[in-house]
Amino acid sequence: MSKPEDPLRNVSDTALWVAIYRAMESERPDALFRDPFARLLGGTRGEEIVKLLPKGRASAWPMIVRTAVMDEIILSLIERDGIRTVVNLAAGLDVRPFRLPLPPSLRWLHVDLPPMIDYLRSGIGQAKPICEVEFVPADLRSPDERARVLERVAAGPPALAVAEGLLIYLPPPQVADLASALAATPGLRWWVIDLAAPKLLKMLNKRWQPHLAAAGAPFVFAPPEGTAYFARYGWKEASFNSLWDEAIRLHRTPRGAWFWNFIGPLIPRSKREEFRRMSGMVLLERA
């Protein structure tokens, strides 16, 4: 049970937390993206979370890089493959349909728990999306509710699923159920996720586990076999964008990154590759 001093009180607080990171990036003169609603949606509660969590502000860079790279992947797939429907699973406070240069005819399904959708809609007010947006209240842990969501996806192929910041909170059986259900959805060819390795999960839990546990949102999913985990459920890796490599490309590395880049050539190739794949944004293709 959370205490009054816990930075995180429930799983929905994680969306406020990440919204403040997007606000921090949006307010830079050289911003990788601009989220006009992030500061408002994150609110004073989100700012408090960033302030109180250990290394709260210093931990912004992975979330910022993740958002920017997923933006690129989504836009690339829409242009290259003519994606007609995007289903954003456990979308939280994501406002991509309001800020990305999307085709007006694109269908964007924003799926999340009813209170989170209500909070988002009240925050954005009368803002007009760039494409067609459907807010779909659903608990993805429920097979029946998940099936109703995916029926709507199947109606608009070709389709892309997005799960940003979701899988790490799910136990493996729930990830397996979700992966299988997505693979069985007609017209859904692509799935964009972020994925952590067990070593990274251990590091993150050492830093934040008491706070995440108090909120009922522990980090639990980091398969030892990496993206190969999804093969048994009908998915194969199409691309892996290393978080570290992308942070270097986008000039959003953490303090002290120069040291790791300096010693990198001295580390055996296998260890360098292991480090590269500790975290990444992954494009999965239905096998």
Side-chain angles (χ1 to χ4, degrees), residues 8 14 17-18 53 63 66 165-171 194 196 200-209 211-213 216-222:
L8 295 167
T14 63
W17 170 21
V18 176
L53 278 175
M63 311 296 186
R66 181 182 76 186
L166 169 62
L167 300 191
I168 197 169
Y169 294 104
L170 301 181
D194 54 289
L200 177 61
L201 193 74
K202 185 176 181 180
M203 291 168 53
L204 294 175
N205 279 333
K206 184 177 181 180
R207 180 184 303 174
W208 289 329
Q209 180 62 14
H211 309 293
L212 293 165
F219 289 160
V220 293
F221 184 72

Side-chain angles (χ1 to χ4, degrees), residues 6 9 13 18 48 66 100 119 175 192 232 242 284:
D6 282 327
R9 296 179 299 209
D13 273 355
V18 176
E48 180 182 63
R66 181 182 76 186
L100 288 183
Y119 178 79
V175 176
V192 183
R232 74 197 78 167
S242 164
L284 297 172

Side-chain angles (χ1 to χ4, degrees), residues 121-144:
R121 298 189 74 172
S122 67
I124 61 177
Q126 299 301 312
K128 300 297 183 183
I130 296 163
C131 65
E132 298 178 17
V133 178
E134 299 173 30
F135 292 98
V136 185
D139 185 341
L140 293 169
R141 295 169 297 183
S142 163
D144 289 342

Side-chain angles (χ1 to χ4, degrees), residues 92-128:
L93 300 177
D94 176 44
V95 293
R96 284 189 173 97
F98 296 84
R99 65 174 182 82
L100 288 183
L102 302 169
S105 60
L106 181 75
R107 264 180 91 224
W108 189 286
L109 306 184
H110 181 108
V111 184
D112 211 330
L113 297 172
M116 183 57 67
I117 288 180
D118 291 344
Y119 178 79
L120 172 67
R121 298 189 74 172
S122 67
I124 61 177
Q126 299 301 312
K128 300 297 183 183

Side-chain angles (χ1 to χ4, degrees), residues 6-271:
D6 282 327
L8 295 167
R9 296 179 299 209
N10 53 60
V11 68
S12 296
D13 273 355
T14 63
L16 307 179
W17 170 21
V18 176
I20 294 300
Y21 287 158
R22 289 198 297 270
M24 290 165 57
E25 178 64 22
S26 299
E27 292 158 5
R28 291 177 57 133
D30 61 342
L32 299 172
F33 54 82
R34 299 199 184 275
D35 183 336
F37 304 101
R39 181 66 65 182
L40 173 65
L41 291 172
T44 55
R45 178 75 190 128
E47 292 172 1
E48 180 182 63
I49 292 167
V50 172
K51 179 181 178 181
L52 294 178
L53 278 175
K55 298 185 178 180
R57 292 189 66 84
S59 299
W61 70 271
M63 311 296 186
I64 290 165
V65 171
R66 181 182 76 186
T67 296
V69 172
M70 284 195 167
D71 283 356
E72 293 176 353
I73 294 172
I74 292 167
L75 290 173
S76 175
L77 286 172
I78 290 171
E79 180 179 1
R80 187 189 75 189
D81 293 345
I83 296 296
R84 291 174 52 193
T85 299
V86 175
V87 54
N88 196 358
L89 304 168
L93 300 177
D94 176 44
V95 293
R96 284 189 173 97
F98 296 84
R99 65 174 182 82
L100 288 183
L102 302 169
S105 60
L106 181 75
R107 264 180 91 224
W108 189 286
L109 306 184
H110 181 108
V111 184
D112 211 330
L113 297 172
M116 183 57 67
I117 288 180
D118 291 344
Y119 178 79
L120 172 67
R121 298 189 74 172
S122 67
I124 61 177
Q126 299 301 312
K128 300 297 183 183
I130 296 163
C131 65
E132 298 178 17
V133 178
E134 299 173 30
F135 292 98
V136 185
D139 185 341
L140 293 169
R141 295 169 297 183
S142 163
D144 289 342
E145 293 191 37
R146 184 171 61 232
R148 284 195 291 272
V149 170
L150 296 182
E151 284 176 6
R152 300 173 72 156
V153 176
L160 159 71
V162 177
E164 181 180 9
L166 169 62
L167 300 191
I168 197 169
Y169 294 104
L170 301 181
Q174 290 185 15
V175 176
D177 288 347
L178 178 61
S180 298
L182 292 173
T185 302
L188 182 58
R189 179 181 175 189
W190 303 104
W191 185 17
V192 183
I193 65 171
D194 54 289
L195 191 66
K199 283 188 178 180
L200 177 61
L201 193 74
K202 185 176 181 180
M203 291 168 53
L204 294 175
N205 279 333
K206 184 177 181 180
R207 180 184 303 174
W208 289 329
Q209 180 62 14
H211 309 293
L212 293 165
F219 289 160
V220 293
F221 184 72
E225 64 269 54
T227 58
Y229 171 89
F230 297 93
R232 74 197 78 167
Y233 305 111
W235 296 96
K236 62 181 180 179
E237 177 186 317
S239 66
F240 184 97
N241 295 75
S242 164
L243 180 69
W244 186 257
D245 290 350
E246 294 297 335
I248 293 171
R249 176 176 71 88
L250 297 172
H251 306 290
R252 291 297 183 271
T253 52
R255 184 177 298 177
W258 67 269
F259 174 75
W260 297 106
N261 290 328
F262 175 75
I263 67 170
L266 307 177
I267 300 173
R269 183 184 297 272
S270 61
K271 289 295 183 182

